[in-house]
Structure formats: C-alpha cells, structure tokens
Amino acid sequence: MRIRSLSTVVAAALIAAAQAGAAEPAAPPAPTFADLAALADGAPLAIRARVKSQAVVPPERAPGLAAGHARLFVEAQTLALLSGATSAPEVLRYLVDVPLDARGKPPKLRKREFVLFARPVSGRPGELQLLGPRAQLPYSPALEARLRPVLAAFLAADAPPRVIGVRDVLSSIGNLAGESETQIFLATAKGEPAAVTVVRRPGMAPRWGVSWSELVDQSAVAPAKDTLAWYRLACALPRALPANANVASDPADHARAAQDYRFVLDQLGPCSRNLS
C-alpha cells in the first residue's frame, strides 16, 4: 500500500508540474539584427523601463485586438533613455497587446524590465505609443549590448540612407573576354546618392561593393553582415531587378545586369526576422 501511495503521489506531482509548464507562455525568439534595426529606425524613443502596474483594457474598448491577446494599460518607471530626446519622463504610460497564456490569462509584467520602442503622444506628457505589438522587448544586459551599437549607427554622421528601391542599372562589357561592370543606382528616401557596383575580371571571382556618395568607383566594398549598411540593402532591395530600371538597350546587357543583381542578393543573404 505504501508503494502504491508513493506512486500515486509521484504521478500527481508529475501531472501538476506538466500542467504548470503548459501554462507558462513560450519564450519569445531572440530578435535578429534586422529586427533591432527596424525598431531603432522607426522609433523616436528607445527607453529601458520597469513596469509598476498593469490593467486589462476591456475587449470592447480595444479595437483591432488579435484573437488570443489582451490589451494592457501599463504604467512604468523610466530607468534609462537609450536613444531619442535628451530626457524622458520618470513615469510612462502606454498600451501594449500581449498573448494570453494557456489559461487565458495575460502575463504579469509588474516589476519586469523592458526596452520600449515608441513615440511620444502629442499633448500628453508621459504617454507613449509603441511602434507595434513587438516593440516591447524583455530587457537583458545582452539585449542592451546588442542594441546600443545599432542605435549609435543610426545616429552617426555617415549613416547610410534608407533605401526604397532600384532607380537605374547600367551594365557594360570591358576590353577583355569575361570583363564587365554593372552599376546599380539605388533610390533612397530623401534622394541621397547610393549605388552598388559589380565588377567581373577574367579568371577572378566577381567583386561587388556599395557607395553612399556621388562618387561611384570600383574600390567600393561590400558591407559586412549585421551592419547598418547591410540592413539597408538586404532588407530593402526587391527580390528581382525591376524591368523598368534597366536603361540598357542590348538584351545581353539586360541579362548581365539581372545576373549581377542576383549575385548581390545572394551575397547579402536573407533579411532574417523573428519579430513579426
């Protein structure tokens, strides 16, 4: 009887542990460099804050709320201003949509720390509008260490401009067989110059680079992965060369330009994101 009782207790404990584990929401995936860059690019403010209180907004007062989520009204304390204005209010208030757990309950955020990517609400001191449902990231020293160089890159005087597409493409052959050069002129948000150059030489691997100035030459270098220059290209260039962007009349030049464009995309690699 003692063995059976012990087995019953152990089984009950295992079931309770499994149920408790099932109630815990899955940890969100770590943001990629592109995730952090996208948030930093659009956020007037990046703030480290600790939640003081939360209240559930009634569903009828939460338009656009996704199924399986709750909208919370959060009051938080500013711990550090990571980017943006010279100062931030000590007490912050904002709305955030969070997924419900297995029991249909919102997570408890009180005393937890987050990094907020937001804009101030005009005429309402201390109120913020998050950039989106994933603009509240759980804080950790590791996240801050990854985020600070991203924020600094956007503030640099020589920060690459935002790319919005391809403007023109020129491709020409050289004097030697297998020699060619393709220049891909990019469209940017404010009309700043930007161009990608692909150079092919006989017996050598193709070489490419990007220039962020009026001067376009063969000495331009390819950006390193997970840098702001890489993000501007990998996460903004269309997946195929626009047909109306190629100003060459020779079909062979068109084909070579398209080949070089695909080469650049392959070299950049995917713009991977974990935050939707």
Side-chain angles (χ1 to χ4, degrees):
M1 292 297 294
R2 291 182 59 189
I3 294 176
R4 179 177 298 179
S5 299
L6 180 59
S7 299
T8 302
V9 171
V10 171
L14 290 174
I15 292 173
Q19 291 175 340
E24 292 296 327
T32 66
F33 180 91
D35 288 325
L36 296 179
L39 289 168
D41 194 11
L45 296 170
I47 299 174
R48 176 185 171 191
R50 179 185 295 117
V51 174
K52 298 173 61 179
S53 65
Q54 68 182 64
V56 177
V57 178
E60 62 271 16
R61 297 180 58 188
L65 181 65
H69 286 68
R71 183 161 297 167
L72 302 181
F73 176 77
V74 175
E75 187 173 275
Q77 176 187 2
T78 296
L79 299 180
L81 178 64
L82 304 180
S83 179
T86 55
S87 62
E90 183 177 352
V91 178
L92 308 170
R93 295 174 296 278
Y94 60 92
L95 297 173
V96 62
D97 292 354
V98 295
L100 301 175
D101 63 19
R103 298 167 297 177
K105 303 291 185 181
K108 295 181 180 180
L109 306 184
R110 186 172 179 271
K111 295 185 179 181
R112 292 180 59 187
E113 293 184 18
F114 295 92
V115 175
L116 310 176
F117 298 87
R119 59 177 61 90
V121 177
S122 179
R124 297 183 180 181
E127 290 195 17
L128 301 178
Q129 180 184 19
L130 297 185
L131 293 190
R134 305 304 297 270
Q136 174 182 267
L137 300 182
Y139 172 81
S140 69
L143 174 65
E144 182 174 356
R146 293 180 60 207
L147 179 59
R148 283 194 176 276
V150 178
L151 296 171
F154 279 100
L155 297 175
D158 58 348
R162 184 162 65 91
V163 173
I164 57 176
V166 176
R167 193 178 76 242
D168 298 313
V169 181
L170 292 172
S171 185
S172 58
I173 60 174
N175 296 324
L176 302 176
E179 185 178 53
S180 67
E181 179 177 336
T182 298
Q183 293 180 338
I184 304 167
F185 298 92
L186 307 178
T188 56
K190 297 181 180 180
E192 304 95 330
V196 170
T197 302
V198 180
V199 177
R200 296 180 183 270
R201 294 287 184 265
M204 299 176 61
R207 181 170 53 85
W208 77 282
V210 59
S211 172
W212 305 101
S213 68
E214 296 286 354
L215 180 63
V216 180
D217 58 36
Q218 297 180 3
S219 63
V221 297
K225 183 175 172 59
D226 289 353
T227 61
L228 181 52
W230 171 87
Y231 166 76
R232 290 302 198 199
L233 299 177
C235 301
L237 291 178
R239 295 299 90 190
L241 187 64
N244 60 354
N246 199 322
V247 299
S249 57
D250 189 330
D253 292 342
H254 277 275
R256 186 171 52 255
Q259 178 189 15
D260 286 344
Y261 187 76
R262 288 193 300 270
F263 167 73
V264 171
L265 293 182
D266 289 343
Q267 291 292 301
L268 287 168
C271 174
S272 300
R273 301 194 184 195
N274 286 334
L275 306 183
S276 56

